[in-house]
């Protein structure tokens, strides 16, 4: 999987988790210690997710980092 596809997968799966858990981007950004605009930019693809971002988002939603990266199709708990 290319870096671009990986970034798109992280964004798509994060948006899905936001919808399913009824969490706002602003709330997730605060929980992940990130500016809301930074999260928005990453979800739109104008900025890249870091490994730290992926780990924090996974922790917030109690999913595996492999799920966010597209390496696992299940939202398996870590």
């Amino acid at each position: 999987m290319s870096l671009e596809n990986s970034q798109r997968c992280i964004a798509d799966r994060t948006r899905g988790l936001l919808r399913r858990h009824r969490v706002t981007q602003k709330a997730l950004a605060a929980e992940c210690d990130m500016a809301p605009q930074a999260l928005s930019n990453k979800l739109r693809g104008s900025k890249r997710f870091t490994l730290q971002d992926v780990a924090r988002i996974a922790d917030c939603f109690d999913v595996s980092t492999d799920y966010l990266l597209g390496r696992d199709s299940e939202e398996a708990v870590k």
Side-chain angles (χ1 to χ4, degrees):
M1 178 181 286
S2 73
L3 179 60
E4 185 176 315
N5 287 341
S6 179
Q7 290 288 314
R8 188 177 9 247
C9 185
I10 296 165
D12 290 345
R13 291 196 172 188
T14 299
R15 280 192 294 272
L17 289 165
L18 286 166
R19 279 191 302 273
R20 283 193 297 284
H21 291 270
R22 296 184 178 166
V23 174
T24 64
Q25 285 184 28
K26 185 176 181 178
L28 178 61
E31 185 71 25
C32 292
D33 196 29
M34 173 186 319
Q37 188 62 48
L39 178 60
S40 177
N41 290 339
K42 292 172 187 201
L43 290 172
R44 285 185 291 114
S46 61
K47 297 288 182 186
R48 291 186 175 167
F49 288 93
T50 65
L51 292 175
Q52 186 175 32
D53 295 334
V54 174
R56 288 178 176 175
I57 292 168
D59 287 346
C60 287
F61 288 112
D62 201 25
V63 298
S64 69
T65 54
D66 279 348
Y67 172 75
L68 289 176
L69 293 169
R71 296 174 54 156
D72 193 350
S73 60
E74 300 289 323
E75 286 184 33
V77 177
K78 306 173 280 175

